[in-house]
C-alpha cells in the first residue's frame, strides 16, 4: 500500500457507462449495493452486510423460539401448581418468569442493522424519479468536513412502472463496484478505515418544497471542505473527468444555480468489531 500523502486531498474521477438505459429501480439497487460495499470495505462493519443481516434474522428466530418455549413452560408450571393446590390446599407453587438477555454485541448489531436498513429504505426508486444530479456518501466526523467522499453523478433517469429483472440490476451494481475496486487499488487508505466513524448520505438537485425526497432535509449553504483525505467520484454519464480536481458540484467556487443539497435524516455510525469475532479480510 503506498504511503499516505500528507500534502493534499487525493482525488480520483471515474467514468462508468452502464449498459442500456438507467431506470429509477436500477439506481435504487445500485446505490444500496454501493452503500453495503463501502461499509464493509471501509471497515465500518466486521463482516459482509448480508452476513450481518442473516445473523439478525437468526437472533430474532431464536428469540421467537425461546419466547414460545417459555410460554409453554409457564403454562405447564401453572397447570402443575393448580394440581398441587388441589392435592394440598393452601399450597401453591410460585411461578417464576425468566427472561434471557441479549449480549452487548448482539444489542449493538441489532441496533446498527435497524438503523442501516432504515437508511437503505430512504434510498428508494421514488428518490430517483425526482432526478437528483448527484448522490454523495461522506465518511467522517461531520458531513462538511469528511475524511472520505464517494459520489455518483446521474444522467437523466427513466421511471418505469415495472421493475427491471433483479439479474440486470445486479449486473449494473457489480460493474460499478468492480470499476471502483480496480481503479482505486493504488489510492492510500483514508481515515475511515481506521475504525468506526459516521456515514452521511446526501443528494444534490433541484426539488420543489413539496417534492423533497422522503427522509431528507434541506441542507442550507452546504459545502465540502477537505484539505486532506480522499475523494472518489463516479460519473454514470460516462463523461471523462479531469483527474486533478473535484467535480463542479463539490467545488465551493462552482456556484451551480438552482441546485441544493439534501441530507438524509439518518446518520449511520460504524459498528465496532466484537474483538475476536472480527472477520479476516486478508484472505
Amino acid at each position: 500500500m503506498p504511503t499516505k500523502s500528507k500534502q493534499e486531498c487525493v482525488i480520483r474521477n471515474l467514468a462508468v457507462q452502464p449498459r442500456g438505459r438507467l431506470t429509477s429501480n436500477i439506481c435504487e439497487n445500485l446505490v444500496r449495493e454501493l452503500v453495503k460495499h463501502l461499509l464493509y470495505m471501509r471497515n465500518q462493519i466486521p463482516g459482509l452486510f448480508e452476513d450481518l443481516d442473516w445473523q439478525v434474522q437468526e437472533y430474532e428466530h431464536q428469540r421467537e423460539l425461546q419466547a414460545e418455549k417459555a410460554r409453554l413452560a409457564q403454562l405447564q408450571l401453572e397447570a402443575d401448581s393448580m394440581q398441587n393446590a388441589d392435592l394440598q390446599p393452601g399450597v401453591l407453587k410460585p411461578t417464576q418468569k425468566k427472561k434471557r438477555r441479549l449480549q452487548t454485541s448482539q444489542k449493538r448489531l441489532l441496533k446498527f442493522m435497524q438503523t442501516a436498513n432504515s437508511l437503505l429504505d430512504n434510498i428508494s426508486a421514488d428518490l430517483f424519479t425526482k432526478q437528483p444530479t448527484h448522490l454523495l456518501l461522506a465518511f467522517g466526523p461531520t458531513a462538511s468536513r469528511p475524511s472520505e467522499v464517494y459520489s455518483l453523478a446521474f444522467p437523466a433517469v427513466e421511471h418505469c412502472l415495472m421493475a427491471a429483472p433483479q439479474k440486470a440490476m445486479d449486473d449494473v451494481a457489480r460493474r460499478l463496484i468492480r470499476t471502483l475496486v480496480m481503479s482505486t487499488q493504488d489510492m492510500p487508505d483514508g481515515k475511515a478505515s481506521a475504525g468506526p466513524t459516521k456515514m452521511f448520505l446526501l443528494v444534490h438537485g433541484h426539488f420543489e418544497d413539496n417534492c423533497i425526497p422522503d427522509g431528507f432535509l434541506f441542507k442550507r449553504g452546504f459545502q465540502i471542505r477537505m484539505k486532506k483525505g480522499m475523494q472518489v467520484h463516479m460519473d454514470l454519464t460516462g463523461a471523462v473527468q479531469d483527474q486533478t480536481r473535484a467535480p463542479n458540484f463539490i467545488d465551493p467556487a462552482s456556484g451551480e444555480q438552482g441546485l441544493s443539497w439534501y441530507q438524509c435524516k439518518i446518520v449511520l455510525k460504524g459498528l465496532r468489531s466484537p474483538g475476536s469475532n472480527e472477520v479476516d479480510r486478508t484472505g
Side-chain angles (χ1 to χ4, degrees):
M1 186 65 66
T3 304
K4 182 178 178 181
S5 173
K6 296 183 179 180
Q7 297 180 353
E8 59 183 8
C9 181
V10 181
I11 298 173
R12 185 64 50 86
N13 295 313
L14 310 177
V16 183
Q17 182 67 57
R19 294 190 181 96
R21 57 182 184 173
L22 203 60
T23 67
S24 55
N25 299 102
I26 290 177
C27 290
E28 172 191 1
N29 186 74
L30 172 68
V31 175
R32 289 188 177 193
E33 293 304 313
L34 179 63
V35 168
K36 297 175 184 178
H37 170 77
L38 289 176
L39 285 173
Y40 175 62
M41 294 306 297
R42 305 320 296 154
N43 202 25
Q44 298 304 304
I45 52 179
L48 295 174
F49 191 91
E50 289 75 11
D51 293 342
L52 298 183
D53 203 23
W54 179 83
Q55 288 184 35
V56 169
Q57 294 177 20
E58 281 296 301
Y59 286 154
E60 293 176 346
H61 179 62
Q62 291 298 325
R63 291 174 70 180
E64 291 176 357
L65 292 179
Q66 292 168 6
E68 179 63 16
K69 184 177 179 180
R71 187 184 70 83
L72 295 176
Q74 179 69 16
L75 291 175
Q76 184 63 44
L77 185 60
E78 291 176 355
D80 293 343
S81 298
M82 293 298 297
Q83 184 178 6
N84 291 334
D86 292 338
L87 297 175
Q88 302 179 23
V91 178
L92 183 65
K93 289 185 179 180
T95 58
Q96 296 181 353
K97 199 173 184 180
K98 294 183 180 180
K99 186 176 181 181
R100 187 172 180 178
R101 296 183 178 181
L102 289 174
Q103 298 178 2
T104 301
S105 60
Q106 294 174 336
K107 290 181 180 179
R108 288 176 178 170
L109 175 58
L110 291 172
K111 182 178 180 181
F112 173 85
M113 293 302 293
Q114 182 181 16
T115 305
N117 283 313
S118 296
L119 182 142
L120 293 176
D121 288 341
N122 287 330
I123 304 173
S124 63
D126 183 62
L127 169 64
F128 297 99
T129 61
K130 302 180 186 299
Q131 302 296 330
T133 59
H134 298 84
L135 183 141
L136 185 145
L137 295 167
F139 292 85
T142 66
S144 59
R145 295 184 182 274
S147 58
E148 297 184 14
V149 164
Y150 301 85
S151 73
L152 285 168
F154 295 97
V157 175
E158 298 183 24
H159 176 56
C160 296
L161 297 178
M162 182 176 296
Q166 188 63 44
K167 183 179 183 300
M169 294 194 293
D170 290 340
D171 286 344
V172 175
R174 279 195 295 267
R175 187 181 182 193
L176 173 74
I177 292 174
R178 188 184 306 115
T179 302
L180 171 63
V181 172
M182 298 299 295
S183 302
T184 57
Q185 288 182 341
D186 60 336
M187 294 185 71
D189 281 337
K191 290 184 178 180
S193 61
T197 188
K198 296 178 182 177
M199 188 192 77
F200 303 87
L201 169 64
L202 299 101
V203 292
H204 193 230
H206 176 67
F207 307 120
E208 301 294 339
D209 291 340
N210 58 346
C211 292
I212 295 178
D214 292 337
F216 287 79
L217 293 174
F218 175 58
K219 192 78 170 175
R220 186 183 301 276
F222 176 76
Q223 291 181 351
I224 294 288
R225 300 177 178 88
M226 292 182 67
K227 294 182 179 179
K228 297 180 181 180
M230 58 183 290
Q231 299 179 18
V232 180
H233 305 288
M234 295 157 277
D235 195 330
L236 296 179
T237 65
V240 177
Q241 297 287 342
D242 182 1
Q243 293 285 331
T244 61
R245 59 171 297 171
N248 287 337
F249 83 95
I250 206 170
D251 187 350
S254 66
E256 291 190 61
Q257 299 297 322
L259 299 178
S260 301
W261 284 102
Y262 299 83
Q263 181 177 325
C264 182
K265 298 177 183 178
I266 298 173
V267 177
L268 189 61
K269 178 67 180 293
L271 178 64
R272 189 175 301 277
S273 172
S276 60
N277 293 331
E278 184 172 3
V279 176
D280 182 10
R281 304 174 199 179
T282 61

